[in-house]
Amino acid sequence: MPTMHAETAGMTPALRELEEEAVYVIRETAAQFERPALLFSGGKDSIVLAYLSQRAFAPAPIPFPLMHIDTGHNFPETLVFRDELVERLSAKLVVRYVQDSIDAGLVQEETGPNRSRNVLQTVTLLTAIEELQLDACIGGARRDEEKARAKERFFSHRNIQGQWDPKNQRPELWSLYNGRKNRGEQFRVFPLSNWTELDVWDYIRARKIPVPSLYFSHERLVVEREGGLLAYTEFLIPIEGEKPERMTVRFRTIGDATCTGAVVSGAATLDEVIAEISASRTSERGTRVDDKRSESAMEDRKTKGYF
């Protein structure tokens, strides 16, 4: 497999600029904070962040752990890929489980056919931050994903309860990032803020970064619900009258299997995925059922401490 440091065809000047900016932000995070971690979901954005982190510090190892908040409702392909990537990068992996938060009585499991553990992740994350005394968490959010994420800064301040106030963010002039904080406060750091979904895929192609097979066309049992397609897994509670169908689909985003929607697609290669995204007029977050619960679903969760 080619190393991440080899010159690779397809690295346009725009991609190189985005790469250099992200690497700079990652290095600034390591320099300004004592206990950072990279929030790793197994999705393409966090995968790119992991490789950018390797690039930022090579030949030294990545100086902070990758932390996965495991809902317990993952696609098996995601977990297999996660473990392979951690071994490939010689990185440290920390996993914390939503099920442990449920068992400890910190959160209550949702009920009904549209239950999701996505919201419950917030408590597990904040508990892990307190346990590990993390002062910065690097995330893969991009400003083109969802309107609430467009309000973020590269260094996004969180108060002592881990909460986000979009009206109280610090200005970022040029490439000056203010990581000053009071005891107990935290930051979320978003090195991919200026990237788009298409930029991420162009970078994956240019740097030959492996991604989970879920992103490519494959046959899978799905059910149609509320205008979307959900994978028919052991975690899905069927609604009366729903009939699973075998369809050729892929996923634009990877998360909790109970709320991550599939799209009908024949895109089986990187070039085909990129061509499909280039022609799309809908955000990848449009396939996430949990984001449709209200107009401000994402902002409400972020305000409470979500990624």
Side-chain angles (χ1 to χ4, degrees):
M1 172 182 167
T3 67
M4 281 298 297
H5 307 286
E7 289 302 317
T8 312
M11 282 293 291
T12 63
L15 269 185
R16 289 186 185 280
E17 185 174 342
L18 288 172
E19 179 185 65
E20 289 170 3
E21 177 183 63
V23 165
Y24 175 77
V25 172
I26 291 169
R27 287 172 176 164
E28 279 292 294
T29 304
Q32 293 196 40
F33 298 100
E34 295 181 5
R35 288 178 173 268
L38 193 160
L39 300 178
F40 187 80
S41 68
K44 65 185 184 310
D45 300 315
S46 60
I47 292 168
V48 165
L49 277 179
Y51 276 93
L52 285 167
S53 297
Q54 183 197 46
R55 190 174 188 83
F57 302 106
I62 298 173
F64 41 73
L66 278 58
M67 183 166 72
H68 182 204
I69 303 300
D70 188 340
T71 66
H73 292 167
N74 295 287
F75 292 99
E77 298 95 324
T78 302
L79 297 181
V80 170
F81 185 91
R82 177 199 69 186
D83 294 341
E84 290 174 348
L85 180 137
V86 167
E87 183 176 357
R88 188 183 304 122
L89 297 183
S90 299
K92 178 182 178 182
L93 175 67
V94 174
V95 183
R96 292 296 181 268
Y97 300 92
V98 171
Q99 185 63 54
D100 289 343
S101 298
I102 295 170
D103 293 342
L106 299 176
V107 292
Q108 185 173 353
E109 180 94 77
E110 293 184 357
T111 59
N114 292 318
R115 67 174 186 171
S116 170
R117 288 186 172 183
N118 241 24
V119 175
L120 308 187
Q121 290 182 86
T122 299
V123 172
T124 308
L125 171 63
L126 294 177
T127 301
I129 288 172
E130 182 177 3
E131 172 201 347
L132 302 173
Q133 299 183 338
L134 302 178
D135 54 2
C137 292
I138 303 169
R142 308 184 321 270
R143 289 173 183 166
D144 71 320
E145 285 183 274
E146 201 272 344
K147 58 186 178 182
R149 287 183 166 173
K151 299 178 182 180
E152 293 279 18
R153 302 289 194 269
F154 281 97
F155 277 22
S156 184
H157 177 263
R158 299 295 196 269
N159 65 21
I160 197 168
Q161 285 83 35
Q163 296 172 329
W164 175 64
D165 179 2
K167 296 180 180 179
N168 191 30
Q169 293 298 300
R170 300 170 181 178
E172 292 180 339
L173 305 177
W174 301 287
S175 296
L176 301 175
Y177 305 125
N178 185 348
R180 292 186 180 180
K181 58 181 178 56
N182 295 318
R183 183 178 179 83
E185 294 178 342
Q186 316 145 24
F187 276 78
R188 304 289 190 275
V189 179
F190 301 112
L192 304 183
S193 286
N194 287 331
W195 297 51
T196 66
E197 181 186 10
L198 190 57
D199 291 329
V200 170
W201 281 109
D202 282 338
Y203 188 75
I204 287 169
R205 178 171 61 181
R207 289 297 188 196
K208 296 181 171 57
I209 299 175
V211 294
S213 60
L214 291 166
Y215 282 115
F216 302 101
S217 173
H218 60 285
E219 284 194 358
R220 178 181 291 271
L221 282 175
V222 296
V223 296
E224 185 174 353
R225 183 177 296 180
E226 297 181 3
L229 297 174
L230 291 176
Y232 190 72
T233 66
E234 61 182 298
F235 314 119
L236 190 71
I237 299 177
I239 296 176
E240 185 177 356
E242 281 184 342
K243 294 182 179 179
E245 298 181 62
R246 185 165 293 277
M247 301 177 68
T248 301
V249 300
R250 72 176 194 87
F251 295 86
R252 288 180 67 183
T253 179
I254 295 177
D256 191 303
T258 63
C259 61
T260 302
V263 294
V264 176
S265 172
T269 67
L270 268 176
D271 288 342
E272 290 171 347
V273 166
I274 290 171
E276 183 178 272
I277 293 170
S278 298
S280 175
R281 293 296 176 266
T282 60
S283 166
E284 64 192 290
R285 298 295 303 191
T287 64
R288 297 294 292 269
V289 174
D290 55 321
D291 285 352
K292 300 177 182 178
R293 293 188 174 192
S294 73
E295 285 292 323
S296 60
M298 174 63 80
E299 183 156 343
D300 292 343
R301 279 180 285 156
K302 288 177 68 62
T303 300
K304 295 175 182 177
Y306 187 72
F307 294 178

